[in-house]
């Protein structure tokens, strides 16, 4: 699970995905700004989350969760 992403410059764009058979949980509390619920990505479903760094926080620009 992750809640913080380090080593970025304002304007950086990042897409998170995971390998088949793996899962990733993005949790509240760090520098990834999100709604009230944690986000679970599944590699088996091809889930992705796209983020943009504003210089302080990662902002979710889109998420593709294929339940």
């Amino acid at each position: 699970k992750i809640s913080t992403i380090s080593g970025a410059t304002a304007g950086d764009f990042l897409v998170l995905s995971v390998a088949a058979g793996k899962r990733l949980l993005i949790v509240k509390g760090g520098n990834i700004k999100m709604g009230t619920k944690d986000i679970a990505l599944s590699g088996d479903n091809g889930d992705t989350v796209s983020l943009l760094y504003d210089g302080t926080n990662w902002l979710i620009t889109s998420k593709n969760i294929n339940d």
Side-chain angles (χ1 to χ4, degrees):
K1 67 181 169 177
I2 64 169
S3 63
T4 300
I5 302 170
S6 302
T9 302
D12 283 356
F13 186 75
L14 178 66
V15 177
L16 297 177
S17 64
V18 293
K22 303 292 181 181
R23 293 179 52 85
L24 174 66
L25 185 63
I26 304 169
V27 297
K28 297 183 314 180
N31 68 346
I32 303 170
K33 296 302 172 194
M34 49 200 292
T36 59
K37 296 182 179 180
D38 296 340
I39 300 171
L41 301 180
S42 169
D44 291 337
N45 294 338
D47 299 341
T48 61
V49 171
S50 300
L51 305 110
L52 177 67
Y53 191 62
D54 69 2
T56 302
N57 296 301
W58 286 96
L59 310 172
I60 295 176
T61 59
S62 68
K63 58 183 175 179
N64 182 33
I65 308 298
N66 301 300
D67 294 327

